Amino acid sequence: MKYLLLNLLLFTTLITYSQNTGSLAGKIADKEYSNEPLPFANVLIKGTTKGTTTDMDGLYLIDNLEVGTYTIVYSFVGYETQEVEATIIAGKVTEINLPMAANAALLDEVVITTTTKRESEVALLLEQKKAVEIKQSIGAEELSRKGVSNAAGAVAKISGVSKQEGSSNVYVRGLGDRYLNTTMNGLSLPSNDVNKKNMDLDLFSSDIIENVSISKAYAVGFYGDFSAGNVNINSKDYNGNGFLDVYMGSGFNTNAIDKDFVKSEGTGYFGYYGRYDHNPFAVVLSHGIDPVSAGTPINVSYGASTGTSFHFKNGSRLSIFATGSFENNFEYRQGTTRDFTLTEKKAFVDSAEEYEYGTTTTAMANVNYKIDDANSVKYSSVFINNASDVVGYFGTNGNGRNRDAIQNTDEGFYQMNVQFDQTKMFVNQLLGNHKSGKIEVDWGFGYNYVNADQPDRKRISLENYHLAFDNNPNTNPIFYSNVDYDNQRYFQSITDDEYNGNLNFAYQATEKLTLNIGYNGKSKTRNFNNIRYGYDIVQGNYPVTDVNNFNSIFSLNNLQVNENSGGLYEIKVIKPIPGYTNTNRPGLPENTYQGRLDIYAGYVNAEIKAGDNWLFVPGVRLESIEQTIAFDVINLGLRGTDEITSKNNLFLPSLNIKYSLNKDQNLRFSASQTASLPEFKEVAPFVYEDISVRVGGNPDLLEAGYSKIYNLDLKYEWFFSKSEILSLGAFTKIIKDPINLVVGADATGTQRYFRTGDKANVYGIELEVRKNLITNENDDTDLSIGLNATYMYTTQDLYERIDGDFYDVSFNRTKDQLQGASPFLLNADISYSPTFKNYKPVANLVFSYFSDRIDALGSGQLGNVIEKGVPTLDFIWKNTFSNTFEVNLSVMNLLNPTVTYIRETTLGDVVVNSANGKGVSDYKRGMDISLQLKYTF
């Protein structure tokens, strides 16, 4: 088709122009990427202003040239500029087909944009146009323009995708964490959170991202556990002369800036905790409870990137890229915390507050060795340290309520929760690409390690807290001590190890037929344990005269070592070491589980071109899955120790069809069968207790195997310029035996996972528009808008009653919407980017919105927990003053909406908390204002 178009251009030129002029035409190929067409390359007649750029297929045409000899200049950012002499003959067309390649010696002034082809919006639109599956991407260029700082924010700018405000949860087409997969460079990533299947995308800063893509339609190269889509993060690469970028920034949150911030004792500025090698009991004995000052709540960020390439005489090239960054942030939340099922159990209305100090440290190194034009090997290593330090005070106005309180159920209940979470993640990947004749081989091997710890959470509970305000020294709060663990120290550790790999053989049998045969697999293990020590208050009604100095109370001087020694408290543990008491002695973990997941799969597909317009990609995948969960937990009594294994073999067919209406418009159709597997956190019966929420897993899910999913997609795409698109899509899914998070209608209100019915149906439409409103004389965009919107309708069957081996649940209705599904999603932005000589400002307004969605299904007579819809508006102003200096300003969350979860009841909506959100509900997050300086050497 490409050569047909070129010949048509040549023929048209021959019959159109007079005998006094001629034409120049040809095709530019990208030698760096297997001679793929190079769109938007510049072709200029030297010494004149006459020229053009290549189109999406690398084709160009300059007509009506006077007869004579010219020097033609071919250029593209990051590539060697080439000059070729051409003689124009009257009535003839001179054809020059040219391959272009990078040349490090010529990149001194453009090293920042040497990867423009893989990062730019127009290049990614081209990739989307040519892709065999339904796929959308956002590159580093657009991330920078929109002020997106991480991968979670990146995917939230793609149609049909929303990010949960106040957390890192991402929803694609209304389906949440359990229906997504996350990969980096095509290899799977682990989870950093016991409550999640996927890695927290907030952890991937934009410094290490070349582009982020979402494949919403299934292809057999993906793992069969594919429902809403696959998010793939391509790490940054580099090719060019040596460079060094450095940046630093500062800012503040409008809610936090005037607060006296506090954090956990024992944690560092950079988000590290130095006591992991110590026995938790020793930590309890030697370190206090009270939080300490976190310093001035000013956010800072700084980092650097560097890279270079080495060219060898044999034509090989070694490219190195490295980047490192650190950022922190302060956030203050004030609102309501409430535990409410059929009745209110605990409530802190408008009297709950949290101080959160967060840090992220990121380091990445890529080494890419291009052996020759047909062989390359790449090694990528990423380290991320993410920490969250949250100090929560609940019942600060003295009006906290607890129905189980001993002294007063209507007022005076108070809790302090000091919690530090740290995740250290290592990702290591070795990738290769090899070509020989009609055969191309891609392979990859990865090893991931995650250590996610919650060391030394401190929780204190008081009654009669309102007496702390009466200025009467004879009336004081007292400790709430209904059970030994109402005042406690808690320690939790998770480690994940994962080995994964893939191998793909592509054989181009003919120009019309390419066969792909491949294998991928992974082996993942998880180890979890937790232990807590309770303060048993042996002196009842002990007066707490200073609520800001618990260290003076829980000191070794006040420890009761025996019945005759006196003292205020004893230290209790659930599981004592055999032969020892459970009092004032170290103990064993109270809950443990070990999970293992092995997946081995082979697949085959064919890319079949029929005529010039049709592309058919039928495929099939055979996948073997084995899952095991072994647990020892305290909440199941005699059934608390068990091991369950599930084995399944999956047959997964798929069909992707693309019909090119013309060179700029596509119709796409996709049909597939996939699966949904239960996750470790969904099947392990360990229960995590927050201030107002309890959430745990259900082993019944594993015994039932997997859920079948049937997918249909239809999409129209019109790429009406190099940076503009209009697309309209429709999709539907049938999910057999769907899994939902359900709130139990019992005394505890614990949230667990159940297969809630026979099937769920999802129907939706998607619209995306990117349009240039004003362009300059070079056809570059000055003013543009983008909009994408998704409307969905979901419904699922609900069983009247579920009688499981471990847990039971019932529903008072036969149908409901699908958990996590927003009927309406909207993302929009407007960008203004004029050029004033060396000054190139870019101003952006970015808006997003999702409507109300079910956060957890209510069982029995309980109503659902609903996450209320949230609009967000961000302003980003980038100022480039030269090729080396930038000053950037951003104001995020301009609308400052209220983040709220409610429970539906017969008496009206009640504000509650979510296991997916923060410890506070019905709060405003505040605006984040920041200024960044960036310099390139």
Side-chain angles (χ1 to χ4, degrees):
M1 179 64 184
K2 303 168 189 174
Y3 293 103
L4 178 62
L5 177 59
L6 176 60
N7 291 331
L8 181 60
L9 291 172
L10 300 179
F11 176 74
T12 304
T13 303
L14 283 171
I15 64 174
T16 302
Y17 293 104
S18 72
Q19 297 300 308
N20 296 322
T21 61
S23 300
L24 176 70
K27 177 181 178 181
I28 308 301
D30 186 348
K31 194 175 181 181
E32 296 294 321
Y33 293 97
S34 305
N35 287 318
E36 285 287 313
L38 185 63
F40 320 126
N42 298 308
V43 183
L44 180 68
I45 309 297
K46 190 173 184 178
T48 75
T49 58
K50 199 171 186 65
T52 187
T53 59
T54 57
D55 68 6
M56 290 286 191
D57 295 315
L59 304 176
Y60 70 92
L61 171 67
I62 304 176
D63 54 25
N64 203 25
L65 290 173
E66 295 292 332
V67 172
T69 299
Y70 298 88
T71 298
I72 316 300
V73 181
Y74 299 88
S75 65
F76 187 80
V77 176
Y79 284 59
E80 178 184 6
T81 298
Q82 297 190 44
E83 296 186 0
V84 179
E85 281 197 354
T87 300
I88 303 301
I89 301 173
K92 302 284 185 179
V93 175
T94 300
E95 180 179 346
I96 299 177
N97 300 315
L98 187 72
M100 295 189 69
N103 184 342
L106 300 177
L107 297 178
D108 294 338
E109 297 183 1
V110 290
V111 290
I112 298 175
T113 54
T114 53
T115 55
T116 296
K117 186 171 188 283
R118 300 297 181 180
E119 296 180 354
S120 72
E121 294 177 67
V122 292
L124 291 171
L125 278 178
L126 174 64
E127 182 178 305
Q128 178 179 333
K129 176 184 176 183
K130 292 181 175 296
V132 297
E133 75 271 14
I134 297 175
K135 175 181 178 181
Q136 288 175 270
S137 301
I138 181 169
E141 181 179 277
E142 189 174 356
L143 297 183
S144 176
R145 178 173 64 81
K146 292 183 177 180
V148 177
S149 61
N150 54 57
V155 296
K157 306 305 178 187
I158 294 176
S159 63
V161 183
S162 66
K163 181 178 180 293
Q164 186 177 36
E165 187 62 29
S167 82
S168 59
N169 293 331
V170 170
Y171 294 84
V172 177
R173 289 178 167 177
L175 301 176
D177 175 69
R178 70 174 321 278
Y179 294 103
L180 301 177
N181 288 324
T182 306
T183 56
M184 187 177 92
N185 300 321
L187 293 173
S188 63
L189 286 171
S191 171
N192 65 300
D193 188 333
V194 65
N195 290 316
K196 290 184 180 180
K197 169 186 175 184
N198 291 279
M199 174 59 62
D200 184 349
L201 294 177
D202 281 342
L203 301 182
F204 289 90
S205 70
S206 56
D207 298 319
I208 69 174
I209 298 171
E210 184 173 76
N211 60 66
V212 180
S213 64
I214 291 186
S215 298
K216 300 177 185 176
Y218 181 68
V220 294
F222 295 119
Y223 286 100
D225 185 11
F226 184 106
S227 306
N230 187 91
V231 179
N232 184 61
I233 301 166
N234 279 318
S235 61
K236 276 192 177 179
D237 211 341
Y238 180 73
N239 174 29
N241 261 2
F243 82 99
L244 174 64
D245 279 345
V246 295
Y247 73 86
M248 62 179 298
S250 184
F252 61 91
N253 178 276
T254 54
N255 279 6
I257 188 62
D258 61 340
K259 303 298 187 298
D260 294 325
F261 251 75
V262 287
K263 66 181 183 68
S264 302
E265 183 273 335
T267 61
Y269 174 81
F270 291 99
Y272 287 88
Y273 180 80
R275 301 171 186 157
Y276 290 116
D277 293 334
H278 296 234
N279 185 285
F281 184 70
V283 174
V284 172
L285 292 179
S286 58
H287 295 282
I289 292 175
D290 295 320
V292 298
S293 174
T296 305
I298 298 293
N299 302 334
V300 299
S301 63
Y302 46 84
S305 299
T306 186
T308 190
S309 293
F310 302 94
H311 294 254
F312 303 103
K313 292 182 179 180
N314 61 359
S316 62
R317 181 180 67 230
L318 179 67
S319 299
I320 300 173
F321 174 78
T323 182
S325 65
F326 170 79
E327 64 178 17
N328 65 11
N329 61 83
F330 293 84
E331 185 173 310
Y332 172 80
R333 299 179 287 272
Q334 194 277 330
T336 292
T337 297
R338 182 189 275 117
D339 186 355
F340 188 100
T341 51
L342 290 173
T343 59
E344 180 184 274
K345 290 178 287 187
K346 189 193 303 184
F348 309 100
V349 179
D350 297 327
S351 62
E353 59 180 6
E354 288 186 322
Y355 297 80
E356 181 170 6
Y357 173 66
T359 65
T360 301
T361 303
T362 304
M364 185 189 78
N366 278 343
V367 179
N368 194 334
Y369 182 48
K370 182 180 178 182
I371 303 170
D372 52 37
D373 290 339
N375 298 278
S376 63
V377 179
K378 175 182 177 181
Y379 173 71
S380 180
S381 181
V382 177
F383 167 75
I384 297 174
N385 180 77
N386 176 253
S388 171
D389 205 330
V390 181
V391 176
Y393 301 111
F394 304 89
T396 54
N397 60 8
N399 293 330
R401 303 188 293 266
N402 186 347
R403 71 175 184 184
D404 296 322
I406 299 170
Q407 299 293 320
N408 190 336
T409 60
D410 296 326
E411 65 175 339
F413 191 71
Y414 170 89
Q415 289 189 291
M416 179 185 76
N417 192 76
V418 182
Q419 181 171 320
F420 176 74
D421 293 87
Q422 181 181 5
T423 298
K424 291 174 288 186
M425 182 185 76
F426 300 85
V427 176
N428 293 278
Q429 298 180 341
L430 185 63
L431 309 165
N433 174 265
H434 311 277
K435 306 179 186 70
S436 178
K438 295 184 176 182
I439 296 176
E440 182 172 356
V441 179
D442 288 284
W443 57 269
F445 176 78
Y447 170 67
N448 305 320
Y449 174 78
V450 173
N451 185 257
D453 289 291
Q454 190 178 107
D456 199 12
R457 184 188 75 191
K458 302 123 178 173
R459 185 171 297 170
I460 298 297
S461 304
L462 301 178
E463 293 193 80
N464 289 338
Y465 185 75
H466 58 289
L467 299 180
F469 310 123
D470 65 0
N471 296 319
N472 185 347
N474 297 316
T475 57
N476 294 283
I478 62 173
F479 286 105
Y480 174 66
S481 188
N482 191 31
V483 297
D484 294 343
Y485 299 93
D486 288 321
N487 300 279
Q488 62 173 258
R489 307 278 284 268
Y490 176 93
F491 302 79
Q492 175 180 294
S493 178
I494 307 166
T495 58
D496 274 12
D497 283 275
E498 180 179 301
Y499 296 88
N500 58 82
N502 59 34
L503 178 66
N504 187 85
F505 289 90
Y507 174 63
Q508 187 175 358
T510 67
E511 288 188 0
K512 301 291 186 179
L513 175 63
T514 300
L515 297 174
N516 288 282
I517 301 174
Y519 163 89
N520 56 10
K522 61 183 176 181
S523 179
K524 175 181 178 180
T525 59
R526 168 174 292 174
N527 288 281
F528 167 90
N529 70 78
N530 83 288
I531 188 171
R532 59 180 165 166
Y533 290 94
Y535 292 112
D536 179 17
I537 311 299
V538 295
Q539 287 192 19
N541 298 332
Y542 180 84
V544 180
T545 58
D546 186 353
V547 295
N548 297 311
N549 188 6
F550 293 110
N551 289 346
S552 65
I553 298 174
F554 295 106
S555 67
L556 291 180
N557 293 332
N558 291 327
L559 178 66
Q560 179 173 290
V561 294
N562 57 59
E563 293 182 359
N564 300 319
S565 67
L568 170 62
Y569 68 93
E570 294 177 330
I571 300 174
K572 300 288 188 178
V573 69
I574 295 287
K575 287 188 176 181
I577 298 173
Y580 291 85
T581 177
N582 75 330
T583 303
N584 297 335
R585 296 291 186 273
L588 300 174
E590 65 181 82
N591 296 288
T592 65
Y593 74 80
Q594 296 79 42
R596 185 177 181 91
L597 172 65
D598 294 315
I599 300 178
Y600 305 103
Y603 62 86
V604 60
N605 72 11
E607 299 175 18
I608 306 168
K609 297 178 181 178
D612 295 324
N613 302 91
W614 289 95
L615 174 64
F616 296 88
V617 187
V620 65
R621 179 184 181 90
L622 299 177
E623 189 167 276
S624 174
I625 302 171
E626 181 173 340
Q627 291 176 279
T628 299
I629 190 79
F631 54 85
D632 184 356
V633 297
I634 63 173
N635 60 291
L636 282 174
L638 296 177
R639 297 212 62 187
T641 302
D642 206 344
E643 181 173 334
I644 302 171
T645 298
S646 174
K647 297 181 180 180
N648 296 281
N649 294 313
L650 281 61
F651 177 81
L652 304 174
S654 72
L655 175 64
N656 286 280
I657 301 174
K658 182 177 77 171
Y659 176 70
S660 299
L661 298 169
N662 53 48
K663 70 182 184 68
D664 296 323
Q665 299 181 62
N666 295 323
L667 277 178
R668 297 180 182 272
F669 171 79
S670 177
S672 63
Q673 178 185 327
T674 57
S676 178
L677 305 176
E679 296 301 310
F680 292 145
K681 54 105 176 186
E682 295 175 342
V683 299
F686 157 73
V687 175
Y688 183 82
E689 299 183 31
D690 209 336
I691 289 292
S692 61
V693 177
R694 290 166 51 94
V695 61
N698 181 0
D700 293 329
L701 299 182
L702 191 58
E703 293 180 334
Y706 64 95
S707 303
K708 291 183 179 179
I709 303 178
Y710 302 95
N711 311 280
L712 287 175
D713 288 85
L714 181 64
K715 187 174 186 179
Y716 165 76
E717 301 171 329
W718 178 20
F719 301 86
F720 50 93
S721 84
K722 67 181 182 180
S723 59
E724 298 174 301
I725 184 176
L726 169 67
S727 71
L728 182 64
F731 59 90
T732 183
K733 296 178 183 292
I734 300 174
I735 306 173
K736 304 291 289 185
D737 304 315
I739 293 175
N740 286 265
L741 182 62
V742 180
V743 184
D746 56 24
T748 66
T750 300
Q751 299 184 17
R752 296 189 186 278
Y753 297 87
F754 290 88
R755 297 187 187 275
T756 51
D758 287 328
K759 69 174 181 177
N761 294 89
V762 180
Y763 308 96
I765 56 174
E766 294 178 326
L767 171 68
E768 180 181 15
V769 179
R770 298 188 207 177
K771 183 72 178 73
N772 298 331
L773 301 180
I774 301 175
T775 57
N776 59 25
E777 64 276 9
N778 297 320
D779 202 30
D780 294 326
T781 304
D782 280 350
L783 181 65
S784 66
I785 59 171
L787 180 145
N788 64 73
T790 302
Y791 175 77
M792 290 176 295
Y793 171 77
T794 66
T795 181
Q796 64 174 323
D797 303 326
L798 296 178
Y799 294 124
E800 181 179 354
R801 182 169 180 81
I802 301 171
D803 295 313
D805 291 339
F806 289 89
Y807 299 105
D808 305 329
V809 74
S810 63
F811 295 98
N812 65 352
R813 56 201 184 280
T814 60
K815 290 184 179 297
D816 211 329
Q817 296 179 18
L818 192 64
Q819 176 209 343
S822 290
F824 183 65
L825 305 172
L826 175 66
N827 299 303
D829 66 88
I830 182 167
S831 176
Y832 181 56
S833 52
T835 300
F836 306 100
K837 295 184 178 179
N838 291 329
Y839 175 45
K840 300 177 182 179
V842 179
N844 290 274
L845 274 176
V846 183
F847 176 81
S848 64
Y849 172 75
F850 64 84
S851 59
D852 296 358
R853 55 191 172 208
I854 297 175
D855 184 70
L857 289 173
S859 64
Q861 302 300 312
L862 289 178
N864 297 328
V865 176
I866 303 295
E867 179 186 8
K868 303 298 289 182
V870 173
T872 59
L873 181 66
D874 300 331
F875 172 72
I876 302 95
W877 184 17
K878 295 176 62 66
N879 297 274
T880 303
F881 292 98
S882 65
N883 290 329
T884 59
F885 186 56
E886 288 183 22
V887 179
N888 304 318
L889 172 71
S890 65
V891 184
M892 316 299 282
N893 199 35
L894 276 164
L895 300 178
N896 198 17
T898 301
V899 180
T900 305
Y901 296 85
I902 58 97
R903 177 179 295 289
E904 299 173 323
T905 76
T906 55
L907 299 178
D909 296 340
V910 177
V911 174
V912 294
N913 293 82
S914 164
N916 296 313
K918 301 294 186 179
V920 175
S921 182
D922 203 32
Y923 69 93
K924 292 181 179 293
R925 190 169 58 83
M927 292 185 291
D928 291 305
I929 302 173
S930 62
L931 182 70
Q932 182 193 75
L933 307 179
K934 184 176 181 180
Y935 192 83
T936 300
F937 294 91

